[in-house]
């Protein structure tokens, strides 16, 4: 059965604001706000955070999210998404949702 997935690339080492996905906004890390919004999309079968960082991995696990580790060699989030997508051949549609948009709406 083919599925739709939202994959959220998240890295710790941003050149402009290191650790941005873990910054807290109203008591939750930014990555959690994004993840929870993605989970509220009715047409999505699965949400996965794709990261190469143990701190982000552990934070996502802590709030009960689905997360997969990726290579530290990726140059961009799209590469991180491709790695995760390659592990899931049942994903027919993949949505790239940036992990640093805590105010994004599901629409």
């Amino acid at each position: 059965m083919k599925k739709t997935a939202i994959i959220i690339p998240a890295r710790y080492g941003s050149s402009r604001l290191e650790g941005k996905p873990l910054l807290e906004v109203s008591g939750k890390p930014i990555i959690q706000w994004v993840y929870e919004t993605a989970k509220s999309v009715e047409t999505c079968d699965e949400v996965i955070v794709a990261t190469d960082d143990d701190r982000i991995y552990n934070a996502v696990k802590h709030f009960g999210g689905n997360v997969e580790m990726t290579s530290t060699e990726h140059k961009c989030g799209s590469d991180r998404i491709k790695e995760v997508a390659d592990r899931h051949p049942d994903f027919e549609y993949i949505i790239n949702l940036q992990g640093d948009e805590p105010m994004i709406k599901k629409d």
Side-chain angles (χ1 to χ4, degrees):
M1 180 171 124
K2 298 293 185 177
K3 299 192 291 185
T4 298
I6 296 174
I7 302 178
I8 306 167
R11 67 185 185 101
Y12 192 89
S14 171
S15 59
R16 292 178 297 203
L17 184 56
E18 187 173 71
K20 183 171 24 175
L22 299 180
L23 293 178
E24 287 200 5
V25 175
S26 297
K28 291 190 232 179
I30 289 173
I31 193 67
Q32 184 173 354
W33 286 104
V34 175
Y35 186 89
E36 289 173 354
T37 298
K39 287 292 286 183
S40 73
V41 175
E42 294 87 3
T43 56
C44 180
D45 298 299
E46 193 159 352
V47 177
I48 301 171
V49 174
T51 189
D52 64 351
D53 188 89
D54 288 331
R55 293 163 287 199
I56 294 172
Y57 182 93
N58 292 330
V60 174
K61 283 294 189 186
H62 181 74
F63 66 73
N66 187 9
V67 59
E68 293 187 20
M69 289 297 286
T70 61
S71 170
T72 59
E73 301 300 313
H74 294 310
K75 301 290 185 210
C76 65
S78 295
D79 295 337
R80 208 170 308 290
I81 289 170
K82 181 183 181 323
E83 179 181 337
V84 171
D86 285 347
R87 295 181 198 149
H88 299 273
D90 57 328
F91 292 167
E92 185 172 18
Y93 300 102
I94 296 171
I95 298 164
N96 174 354
L97 179 59
Q98 295 304 299
D100 61 356
E101 297 184 49
M103 305 310 288
I104 195 163
K105 304 292 184 218
K106 71 177 185 175
D107 299 334

